Amino acid sequence: MLDFNLKGKVFITCKDRSVSYLEKEVRELGYVPEAVTRTGIELRATMEECMDLNLYLRTASQVLYEIKSFYLRNADDIYRRFKAIPWEDYLDVDGYFSVNSVAENESITTPLIVNVKVKDAIVDRFRELKGRRPDSGSDFNGLVFQVYWKETQCIVYINTSGDTLAKHGYRKIPGKAPMMEALAAATIYATEWNTRVPFINPMCGSGTLAIEAALMATKRYPGLYRDHYSFQHILGYDEQAFLAKKKKLESKIMELPDLKIIASDISLQAISFAQENAITAGVDHMIEFHVCDFAETEIPEKPRGVIMFNPEYGERLGENDELEITYKRMGDFLKQKCAGYRGYIFTGNLELAKKIGLKANRRIEFWNGTIDCRLLKYDLYEGKKEE
């Protein structure tokens, strides 16, 4: 049985180019990273603390707790080395588990061979020790083991999250070409928006940016919307401790009566989807939704805040000829109606971005799936810049 208060090596994964925002979150929660890579953060934590990390982090993908690290020469050694691991310390014989792996070794001819050999080693060990075996499959409904094997170094983790943390659980209707919730949170962190000024989101689609802004402002954490994690299937898990943590999340919620978040879209269906998602998240009363062309979006004069677009960029939905006009109109709108604001446009099409007609002060790199994207920042000065 795993001691949930025993500190161990933990690796928190995230999307490439998002690690600086994950590090900010981790430090705000009181943890000190031991190493920071392009796609994650290494630190020391207990399994009890891993539960908290799963509940609180907005920009993470998975929280991995290391259980074994060893030399592994080639595929012929997988079964023997993995069968020697005391899986019965972590997994109930009547439980369910899955294996996921990332392997870079010249002996691997097919990616699934590692998963199969590891699974066989686990079930055979249980058969010899217990006379029966736990169920297994490819989904993440039970305890998830993660294997990282590069050349001759192999690390075995418990994926304490299970399904990715990048989905925050409130978006029941995704809409067209949605932005993943963790990416939306990272881009909002990148804007350095604070809750004392408005957050304006024209072309809001299914509402992810506006909803994430409301969640962040009111300290509503992702764990409020999710009830199932892999750590719940580890031997030693305490359900009452988990419920107490969920209760603590509720106590952290802050209501901000002066919070100003405006989301608009020309599509009635998109606004309907966004409102439904906001209701699920419990923040529908904090967001003003409007059905209108983006150029008709209400822009409060004071205090001036952040205006953020996530337009189509031709990869999945729009055609470039039409979008060139849209991008030019966005630039005109920012220049003519948003003086004093900080403007942001998130796009995966840098050729279209040239049509905006404004010079970006910053070009912040992100990935949206496999699409190379930029969050373009525009300081929209009142009058001349020199003034």
Side-chain angles (χ1 to χ4, degrees):
M1 183 180 294
L2 180 68
D3 181 354
F4 270 56
N5 293 308
L6 179 68
K7 279 194 180 291
K9 286 186 179 180
V10 171
F11 190 71
I12 308 169
T13 67
C14 66
K15 195 71 174 174
D16 189 12
R17 299 177 175 173
S18 292
V19 73
S20 62
Y21 313 107
L22 175 60
E23 182 180 4
K24 178 178 183 290
E25 287 192 276
V26 166
R27 289 187 181 279
E28 285 179 353
L29 291 172
Y31 299 90
V32 179
E34 292 188 346
V36 179
T37 72
R38 284 179 58 186
T39 56
I41 290 174
E42 186 178 298
L43 48 80
R44 293 192 65 80
T46 66
M47 185 59 71
E48 186 82 15
E49 290 169 327
C50 285
M51 293 168 66
D52 288 324
L53 290 166
N54 277 286
L55 293 169
Y56 283 86
L57 292 175
R58 303 181 194 275
T59 61
S61 297
Q62 295 167 332
V63 179
L64 307 177
Y65 184 92
E66 184 178 320
I67 58 174
K68 190 76 173 175
S69 175
F70 54 90
Y71 175 89
L72 185 61
R73 188 178 52 146
N74 58 43
D76 293 335
D77 295 333
I78 294 174
Y79 180 85
R80 175 179 59 85
R81 295 304 302 267
F82 277 84
K83 192 178 177 186
I85 296 173
W87 303 103
E88 65 278 4
D89 289 351
Y90 315 110
L91 174 64
D92 191 283
V93 67
D94 296 316
Y96 177 94
F97 76 96
S98 57
V99 177
N100 192 44
S101 64
V102 176
E104 294 180 26
N105 183 282
E106 60 184 11
S107 69
I108 299 300
T109 55
T110 173
L112 293 178
I113 191 68
V114 178
N115 295 6
V116 172
K117 284 180 175 285
V118 172
K119 187 189 78 171
D120 288 346
I122 295 172
V123 299
D124 286 352
R125 181 181 175 96
F126 269 98
R127 281 198 186 102
E128 291 178 9
L129 291 174
K130 309 284 188 180
R132 62 189 198 279
R133 53 156 287 182
D135 289 334
S136 63
S138 59
D139 57 54
F140 287 3
N141 290 333
L143 185 52
V144 182
F145 296 111
Q146 177 72 49
V147 178
Y148 279 97
W149 180 22
K150 186 170 184 178
E151 297 176 357
T152 58
Q153 179 65 27
C154 185
I155 306 175
V156 186
Y157 297 97
I158 293 175
N159 173 358
T160 68
S161 308
D163 284 325
T164 180
L165 299 174
K167 298 178 181 179
H168 292 170
Y170 60 81
R171 197 170 66 183
K172 305 305 181 185
I173 310 174
K176 296 179 180 179
M179 177 186 275
M180 193 71 79
E181 293 95 305
L183 175 59
T187 59
I188 295 170
Y189 279 129
T191 70
E192 299 181 342
W193 172 66
N194 69 68
T195 61
R196 297 185 299 276
V197 298
F199 183 89
I200 316 298
N201 179 212
M203 294 184 178
C204 70
S206 58
T208 307
L209 281 168
I211 293 169
E212 284 295 324
L215 296 176
M216 293 164 72
T218 58
K219 298 191 182 299
R220 285 172 163 85
Y221 293 96
L224 288 166
Y225 311 101
R226 179 167 168 173
D227 294 316
H228 184 262
Y229 299 87
S230 173
F231 63 69
Q232 293 168 294
H233 301 275
I234 302 172
L235 285 176
Y237 165 73
D238 182 353
E239 177 73 7
Q240 292 307 311
F242 174 66
L243 294 176
K245 291 178 184 297
K246 293 273 284 187
K247 196 75 175 174
K248 188 175 180 180
L249 285 180
E250 295 175 6
S251 70
K252 289 184 175 293
I253 295 174
M254 298 169 49
E255 296 299 342
L256 301 175
D258 295 329
L259 183 64
K260 189 77 169 178
I261 299 176
I262 298 173
S264 70
D265 201 285
I266 199 168
S267 165
L268 175 60
Q269 183 183 60
I271 290 296
S272 177
F273 289 171
Q275 288 175 318
E276 285 296 321
N277 291 330
I279 290 170
T280 303
V283 296
D284 53 299
H285 61 293
M286 304 175 201
I287 304 172
E288 297 178 26
F289 289 103
H290 301 282
V291 179
C292 64
D293 181 84
F294 72 81
E296 298 170 7
T297 304
E298 175 195 348
I299 307 296
E301 285 193 18
K302 289 187 179 180
R304 294 174 174 87
V306 166
I307 180 164
M308 188 170 180
F309 286 87
N310 176 29
E312 300 169 13
Y313 33 85
E315 294 287 344
R316 290 178 286 188
L317 292 175
E319 295 299 328
N320 280 14
D321 289 347
E322 295 177 8
L323 288 175
E324 285 183 5
I325 299 170
T326 301
Y327 274 63
K328 183 182 182 304
R329 290 183 63 225
M330 283 193 296
D332 292 343
F333 175 70
L334 289 174
K335 186 165 48 180
Q336 296 165 9
K337 296 191 176 181
C338 304
Y341 274 73
R342 295 199 312 277
Y344 293 87
I345 297 177
F346 184 87
T347 182
N349 191 323
L350 296 182
E351 285 301 310
L352 280 174
K354 294 176 183 177
K355 304 298 180 182
I356 295 169
L358 297 171
K359 184 177 180 180
N361 300 89
R362 285 189 68 195
R363 302 159 71 88
I364 307 167
E365 296 181 344
F366 285 98
W367 289 102
N368 186 4
T370 59
I371 303 171
D372 184 13
C373 295
R374 299 292 184 275
L375 179 63
L376 305 173
K377 176 187 178 183
Y378 302 95
D379 287 329
L380 306 169
Y381 299 99
E382 296 182 85
K384 293 183 179 180
K385 181 176 179 180
E386 291 76 11
E387 295 174 358

